[in-house]
Amino acid sequence: MNSQNLPQVIHTVGPRVAEVSRNTKETQITVRVNLDGSGEARLDTGIGFFDHMLDQIARHGLIDLDIVAKGDLHIDGHHTVEDVGITLGLAVAKAIGDKKGLTRYGHSYVPLDEALSRVVVDFSGRPGLAMDVKFTSGSIGAFDTQLAFEFFQGFVNHALVSLHVDNLKGHNAHHQCETIFKAFGRALRMAMTLDPRSAGVIPSTKGSL
């Protein structure tokens, strides 16, 4: 994370919709989310494969997602990928609101040919990431596979969720990564769904999250 961040601007646009702009000396990013969307995405991060993965989150999470990122790609993709994770986390946290009626927990197993991944998320209010993925390649196109961890770390730190990401099988790095992001989208969708049986209730015995 860049320690020289310029001020970030957070706008609430409407129910379960939020827009966040985050500008640093390394990246300039705007993220807009509609958690009750249809899976439409407009993505421009400058990293083609990363856009493809973000599209999986939108499509399988039924989240409308607009992301525009300009980063120091002449160095590498690290700051861009990490800071998109941070900004997306901020936007989701803002859109999710007070968590009343939230399902809170979500999980998904997703296969793609020989690859299989499991993702479990908890909107706990406490950031934590456990990720066990052994990519079979160091890069997929212009995407450094190490940056998948940085994206999810940025997200959990600012969405304030607990996240477990496990690739259970896989030989093709593209398939490994795609199953992870698809499962992440599906797990988010489950966790962010409003439960009419607990409308107006915080899903915690503590009374707060």
Side-chain angles (χ1 to χ4, degrees):
M1 187 187 308
N2 187 346
S3 62
Q4 298 180 343
N5 292 341
L6 300 178
Q8 63 199 23
V9 181
I10 302 179
H11 306 283
T12 300
V13 181
R16 306 247 299 177
V17 177
E19 183 173 308
V20 175
S21 294
R22 185 178 186 275
N23 298 305
T24 75
K25 293 180 179 179
E26 296 167 339
T27 60
Q28 298 81 51
I29 299 170
T30 297
V31 172
R32 187 180 191 275
V33 297
N34 177 357
L35 303 185
D36 301 306
S38 60
E40 296 297 317
R42 290 183 294 180
L43 307 163
D44 184 10
T45 67
I47 305 172
F49 184 78
F50 186 40
D51 286 349
H52 181 45
M53 294 300 98
L54 294 170
D55 195 27
Q56 305 305 321
I57 297 173
R59 185 65 56 87
H60 295 281
L62 290 183
I63 302 165
D64 290 345
L65 185 58
D66 292 352
I67 298 178
V68 177
K70 295 183 179 179
D72 51 3
L73 296 181
H74 61 286
I75 297 174
D76 66 10
H78 189 116
H79 300 137
T80 298
V81 173
E82 179 183 27
D83 289 2
V84 166
I86 290 170
T87 313
L88 178 59
L90 289 167
V92 167
K94 189 67 175 179
I96 211 77
D98 61 13
K99 303 180 185 176
K100 289 182 179 178
L102 199 67
T103 297
R104 175 177 169 177
Y105 300 100
H107 63 272
S108 181
Y109 286 80
V110 169
L112 175 57
D113 296 344
E114 88 297 345
L116 175 66
S117 292
R118 175 185 60 212
V119 174
V120 184
V121 65
D122 173 15
F123 277 78
S124 60
R126 301 183 304 278
L129 173 64
M131 185 168 173
D132 186 5
V133 179
K134 297 175 178 63
F135 284 110
T136 59
S137 176
S139 63
I140 308 167
F143 183 78
D144 180 347
T145 52
Q146 295 182 90
L147 299 184
F149 177 89
E150 302 303 331
F151 169 79
F152 288 117
Q153 186 70 78
F155 179 85
V156 302
N157 284 347
H158 294 81
L160 301 179
V161 301
S162 298
L163 182 67
H164 288 251
V165 180
D166 295 282
N167 174 239
L168 305 177
K169 298 178 181 179
H171 302 296
N172 181 291
H174 186 131
H175 294 170
Q176 289 176 292
C177 201
E178 189 163 332
T179 56
I180 288 165
F181 276 83
K182 284 179 175 177
F184 178 61
R186 298 283 299 188
L188 283 181
R189 176 178 168 183
M190 179 186 292
M192 295 188 304
T193 296
L194 295 174
D195 183 351
R197 294 181 61 195
S198 60
V201 177
I202 298 290
S204 171
T205 55
K206 295 182 296 185
S208 65
L209 287 172

